[in-house]
C-alpha cells in the first residue's frame, strides 16, 4: 500500500474507533441525568450534570500532562488505555454507587485529555498541508455519534452492550499503522512526538500565541454547545410531558438526529471540501447560522425550566405548542453546526501546528473542556433561556475571532499551498 493510502486508512480506522467509543459514551451522556433521576436507592445519590462537570474539569487540568503521557507511551497505547477507562465509566452504570460514579468521572477526565491529545497527534502525522482539511472531515464523519433508544426494563442490558461496543472501539486503535515518511526522517518523523522538549511547556507557549488566543474563543464556544447538545438538550426533551409518554424515548432519537447532522457536515465540508477556494470562514459562518436557528426554535419550543425539571417532568411549554418534529429538527441543526465548527478548527490547528500537533491539540481540548465543565456546572440551576443567551453571545464572539485567526494564517501562507487545504 502506498504511503498516502496507508495514512488515509489510518484516519478511517481512527474515525471508526472513535465512532464506537463515543456511540457508547455519548448515549450514556445523553440519558445520564434522566437515568440517575429514576434511581430510587438509598445507596446512590448523584447528578449527571455534576459528573460531567467533574469530567470536563479534570479533563482541562489533565491536558497539561497529556502530551508528555502520549510522548512516553505513544498514541496507540494512549488511546487504548483511555478507551478502557471510558468503558469502565459506562460499565459503572450497570450497578452504580455514588463513590464509583464520581471516581469514574475523575478517571474519565484524565483519560479524555490523553485520548484527544493522541487523536490530534495521529491526525497530524497522517496528514500533509494539502490533506489536513480532507482528513479532518473524514475523521469527523466517521466518528459520527449515534444514540440508542431504550426503556427502564432493559437498562442494564443496554449498558452492558454499550460497554462492549466501547471496548471494541478501543481495540480498533491497534490497527493503526505507523505512517511512512516521504522525506528523509527528521526528529519529528522518527518519533511521533518530539522527545527532547517539555510537551507541557510547549503547550503553555502555544496557548499565548496570537492565533491560539483568537481560536480559543471559538474553541470555548464548542465546549458550551458540546455541553448543550450532549446533555442539556436531551434532558430538556425528556422532561417535556407535553411530548407524551414517550418523551424520554425521544432522547435517543435526538442523539440520532444530532449524529445525522454531524456526518452530513463532516462529509460535505471536510471530505468533499467544497469550500476550499473560499477558505474556512464560510463553513464556520454556516455553523453559526445553523446554531442560531436551532437556538431560536428551541427558545420557542421548549419550556424554560426543562433542564432543571424534576423526574416527573414539566407541564410548562415554550412560546408555541411543543412539537416533536421541531425538537428533532433542532437536534439535526445542532449536529450540523457542531461539525462545521469542529472540522474547521481541526483543520486550521492541524495546518498551523503540524510539527507541534500534540501540544496544540492539548491546548484545544484544554479550552474546550474547561468551558464544557463550566457549562455543565451552571446547567444544574440555570434556566434554558439564559443558557441559550450565553451560547449566542459566545458563539458570535468566537466566530469573529475565528475569522481573524484565519485571515492571519492566510496572510502568512500566501505563497504556500494553503488554497489546496
Amino acid at each position: 500500500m502506498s504511503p498516502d493510502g496507508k495514512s488515509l486508512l489510518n484516519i478511517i480506522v481512527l474515525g471508526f474507533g472513535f465512532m464506537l467509543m463515543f456511540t457508547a459514551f455519548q448515549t450514556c451522556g445523553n440519558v445520564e441525568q434522566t437515568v440517575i433521576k429514576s434511581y430510587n436507592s438509598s445507596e446512590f445519590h448523584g447528578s449527571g450534570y455534576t459528573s460531567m462537570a467533574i469530567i470536563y474539569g479534570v479533563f482541562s487540568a489533565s491536558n497539561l500532562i497529556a502530551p508528555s503521557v502520549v510522548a512516553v507511551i505513544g498514541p496507540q497505547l494512549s488511546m487504548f488505555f483511555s478507551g478502557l477507562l471510558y468503558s469502565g465509566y459506562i460499565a459503572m452504570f450497570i450497578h452504580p454507587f455514588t463513590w464509583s460514579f464520581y471516581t469514574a468521572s475523575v478517571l474519565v477526565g484524565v483519560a479524555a485529555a490523553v485520548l484527544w491529545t493522541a487523536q490530534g497527534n495521529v491526525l497530524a502525522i497522517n496528514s500533509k498541508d494539502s490533506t489536513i482539511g480532507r482528513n479532518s472531515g473524514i475523521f469527523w464523519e466517521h466518528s459520527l455519534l449515534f444514540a440508542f433508544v431504550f426503556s427502564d426494563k432493559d437498562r442494564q442490558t443496554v449498558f452492558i452492550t454499550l460497554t462492549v461496543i466501547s471496548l471494541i472501539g478501543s481495540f480498533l486503535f491497534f490497527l493503526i499503522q505507523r505512517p511512512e515518511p516521504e522525506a528523509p526522517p527528521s526528529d519529528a518523523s522518527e518519533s511521533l512526538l518530539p522527545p527532547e522538549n517539555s510537551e507541557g511547556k510547549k503547550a503553555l507557549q502555544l496557548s499565548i500565541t496570537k492565533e491560539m488566543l483568537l481560536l480559543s474563543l471559538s474553541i470555548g464556544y464548542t465546549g458550551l454547545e458540546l455541553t448543550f447538545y450532549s446533555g442539556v438538550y436531551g434532558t430538556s426533551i425528556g422532561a417535556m410531558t407535553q411530548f407524551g409518554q414517550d418523551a424520554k424515548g425521544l432522547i435517543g432519537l435526538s442523539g440520532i438526529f444530532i449524529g445525522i447532522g454531524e456526518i452530513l457536515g463532516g462529509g460535505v465540508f471536510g471530505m468533499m471540501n467544497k469550500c476550499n477556494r473560499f477558505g474556512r470562514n464560510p463553513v464556520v459562518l454556516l455553523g453559526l447560522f445553523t446554531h442560531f436557528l436551532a437556538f431560536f426554535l428551541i427558545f420557542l419550543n421548549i419550556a424554560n425550566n426543562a433542564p432543571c425539571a424534576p423526574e416527573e417532568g414539566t407541564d410548562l411549554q415554550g412560546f408555541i405548542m411543543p412539537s416533536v418534529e421541531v425538537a428533532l429538527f433542532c437536534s439535526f441543526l445542532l449536529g450540523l453546526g457542531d461539525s462545521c465548527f469542529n472540522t474547521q478548527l481541526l483543520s486550521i490547528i492541524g495546518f498551523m501546528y503540524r510539527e507541534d500537533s500534540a501540544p496544540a491539540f492539548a491546548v484545544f481540548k484544554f479550552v474546550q473542556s474547561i468551558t464544557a465543565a463550566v457549562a455543565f456546572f451552571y446547567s444544574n440551576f440555570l434556566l434554558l433561556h439564559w443558557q441559550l443567551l450565553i451560547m449566542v453571545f459566545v458563539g458570535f464572539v468566537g466566530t469573529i475571532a475565528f475569522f481573524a485567526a484565519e485571515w492571519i494564517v492566510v496572510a502568512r501562507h500566501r505563497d504556500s499551498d494553503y488554497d489546496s487545504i
Side-chain angles (χ1 to χ4, degrees):
M1 183 181 294
S2 67
D4 286 345
K6 182 182 290 186
S7 294
L8 180 59
L9 180 60
N10 285 343
I11 297 297
I12 293 173
V13 171
L14 180 69
F16 273 113
F18 271 71
M19 180 191 73
L20 293 175
M21 280 184 55
F22 284 92
T23 289
F25 183 73
Q26 203 63 42
T27 299
C28 186
N30 282 342
V31 302
E32 184 173 306
Q33 182 73 358
T34 303
V35 167
I36 287 172
K37 285 181 181 178
S38 68
Y39 279 117
N40 295 311
S41 171
S42 59
E43 62 187 14
F44 181 82
H45 302 282
S47 166
Y49 290 153
T50 301
S51 168
M52 286 295 176
I54 291 172
I55 288 174
Y56 284 99
V58 175
F59 184 178
S60 63
S62 299
N63 275 296
L64 296 176
I65 63 169
S68 298
V69 173
V70 179
V72 172
I73 67 174
Q76 271 186 325
L77 288 177
S78 296
M79 291 189 293
F80 173 71
F81 287 120
S82 297
L84 294 184
L85 291 176
Y86 269 83
S87 301
Y89 179 83
I90 299 166
M92 179 274 307
F93 281 93
I94 296 172
H95 190 76
F97 296 94
T98 305
W99 67 268
S100 62
F101 179 50
Y102 288 121
T103 300
S105 300
V106 173
L107 293 176
V108 167
V110 177
V114 175
L115 177 74
W116 284 100
T117 300
Q119 174 270 332
N121 180 234
V122 171
L123 178 65
I125 65 175
N126 282 279
S127 302
K128 305 174 184 176
D129 289 348
S130 58
T131 61
I132 184 66
R134 181 203 67 184
N135 289 347
S136 298
I138 292 174
F139 167 76
W140 203 256
E141 179 188 29
H142 285 83
S143 60
L144 162 67
L145 310 179
F146 277 114
F148 291 96
V149 183
F150 60 93
S151 64
D152 289 347
K153 297 179 182 178
D154 54 16
R155 178 183 301 150
Q156 191 173 61
T157 302
V158 168
F159 278 116
I160 292 173
T161 303
L162 293 177
T163 302
V164 173
I165 291 172
S166 179
L167 286 171
I168 293 173
S170 301
F171 279 97
L172 274 182
F173 295 136
F174 285 117
L175 297 179
I176 296 175
Q177 305 174 60
R178 186 185 185 87
E180 298 177 4
E182 295 184 352
S186 63
D187 289 342
S189 62
E190 286 182 2
S191 60
L192 296 180
L193 292 168
E196 297 181 2
N197 294 327
S198 168
E199 299 299 325
K201 181 179 179 181
K202 189 66 176 177
L204 290 174
Q205 292 173 342
L206 292 178
S207 68
I208 59 175
T209 61
K210 182 190 298 185
E211 296 88 343
M212 188 60 80
L213 287 173
L214 288 169
L215 290 174
S216 292
L217 295 172
S218 184
I219 295 168
Y221 170 67
T222 66
L224 298 183
E225 53 100 3
L226 167 67
T227 296
F228 187 76
Y229 80 72
S230 67
V232 176
Y233 187 56
T235 300
S236 299
I237 291 176
M240 293 289 291
T241 58
Q242 297 189 47
F243 284 153
Q245 295 182 347
D246 295 331
K248 287 181 170 57
L250 292 176
I251 299 174
L253 283 176
S254 173
I256 291 173
F257 275 85
I258 289 171
I260 293 172
E262 295 276 11
I263 196 170
L264 179 63
V268 173
F269 303 121
M271 187 177 67
M272 293 177 65
N273 251 346
K274 293 294 185 184
C275 298
N276 271 350
R277 63 175 183 167
F278 301 110
R280 301 179 179 91
N281 286 346
V283 181
V284 172
L285 186 61
L286 177 62
L288 183 71
F289 173 77
T290 57
H291 274 173
F292 278 12
L293 176 59
F295 296 157
F296 178 69
L297 293 175
I298 291 168
F299 172 79
L300 297 177
N301 193 48
I302 304 295
N304 192 26
N305 70 333
C308 311
E311 181 186 348
E312 57 270 19
T314 177
D315 295 325
L316 300 179
Q317 68 179 55
F319 294 93
I320 62 174
M321 185 63 66
S323 167
V324 172
E325 291 78 12
V326 171
L328 295 179
F329 178 61
C330 290
S331 299
F332 168 78
L333 291 177
L334 290 173
L336 178 62
D338 180 66
S339 68
C340 291
F341 275 94
N342 277 284
T343 55
Q344 303 315 301
L345 283 167
L346 288 173
S347 175
I348 194 171
I349 292 175
F351 177 79
M352 292 168 57
Y353 303 107
R354 187 162 175 258
E355 299 302 321
D356 297 307
S357 58
F361 281 102
V363 174
F364 177 11
K365 285 300 173 179
F366 170 80
V367 175
Q368 187 181 65
S369 56
I370 200 167
T371 54
V374 170
F376 272 116
F377 173 75
Y378 67 58
S379 296
N380 278 300
F381 56 85
L382 208 57
L383 295 176
L384 178 65
H385 295 172
W386 288 107
Q387 295 190 41
L388 293 174
L389 182 62
I390 290 171
M391 287 189 293
V392 166
F393 174 75
V394 179
F396 178 78
V397 174
T399 300
I400 298 301
F402 186 95
F403 288 175
E406 171 82 345
W407 290 328
I408 291 172
V409 174
V410 170
R412 290 183 178 177
H413 296 83
R414 291 191 188 279
D415 297 329
S416 71
D417 58 349
Y418 180 84
D419 289 338
S420 66
I421 297 172

